[in-house]
Amino acid sequence: MARSVMRGGVRGGLVVALAALGLSACSHLGGPSAVQPGPAPSTGLTKSPIPQGAAQTAQALDTATADERAAAMAQSSGGTKLGTTVASLGDPTQGGFWLKTSLVKAETKGRVVLSNGKSAQVTLMPAPAGESQLSLSALRMLDVSLTDLPTLTVYSL
């Protein structure tokens, strides 16, 4: 009987020791203190940082000249309808009047029209499938809030 108690005691102690060892290993494998942040996965998009001390308002970031505004506002009709797209604000540090859209495969002149009839002439630039971004200057000219996602009819000229 002493022998069976001894075996039970050794086995019990061995089980406790293995459990403690296993728990201590867990902290090395996945515990909060062991997590090492790696690099963020690439999305293919790059962000242009706004320089420190630079303008922090949309009006100040909009660097379009009076001549660029006049050209973008010039009324035009016709052209080839490419389709409609929902656009977000593009890189606010990239000046000019442009639309990056998957509706074109090469850079070309174009026009975007809102459902209310407001339009702007823009440079159409290719973008990945399903993606459309409109320049800060074009959004402001169309009187669209920078946080809106306007539906645009796109024409090539």
Side-chain angles (χ1 to χ4, degrees):
M1 179 158 181
R3 196 171 218 188
S4 69
V5 170
M6 181 90 155
R7 278 190 194 154
V10 170
R11 283 187 185 157
L14 185 57
V15 169
V16 170
L18 287 175
L21 182 61
L23 288 174
S24 70
C26 287
S27 68
H28 292 291
L29 295 176
S33 62
V35 175
Q36 298 294 325
S42 175
T43 61
L45 300 176
T46 57
K47 291 187 178 182
S48 297
I50 297 175
Q52 293 297 322
Q56 299 297 317
T57 65
Q59 182 177 2
L61 283 171
D62 185 355
T63 59
T65 66
D67 289 341
E68 289 173 320
R69 285 183 205 290
M73 287 176 33
Q75 293 297 320
S76 70
S77 60
T80 303
K81 182 178 177 179
L82 301 176
T84 60
T85 188
V86 175
S88 63
L89 171 64
D91 181 352
T93 63
Q94 184 179 352
F97 291 85
W98 47 264
L99 172 68
K100 293 180 181 177
T101 180
S102 58
L103 295 174
V104 297
K105 301 295 181 218
E107 188 171 306
T108 188
K109 292 185 184 267
R111 177 171 55 100
V112 294
V113 181
L114 290 172
S115 60
N116 65 8
K118 287 188 177 186
S119 69
Q121 290 193 37
V122 296
T123 300
L124 300 174
M125 297 183 270
E131 188 175 304
S132 291
Q133 296 179 337
L134 192 60
S135 71
L136 173 68
S137 298
L139 278 172
R140 292 189 69 232
M141 175 176 286
L142 296 169
D143 292 323
V144 175
S145 169
L146 302 183
T147 59
D148 282 352
L149 298 172
T151 299
L152 304 167
T153 302
V154 181
Y155 297 87
S156 66
L157 300 177

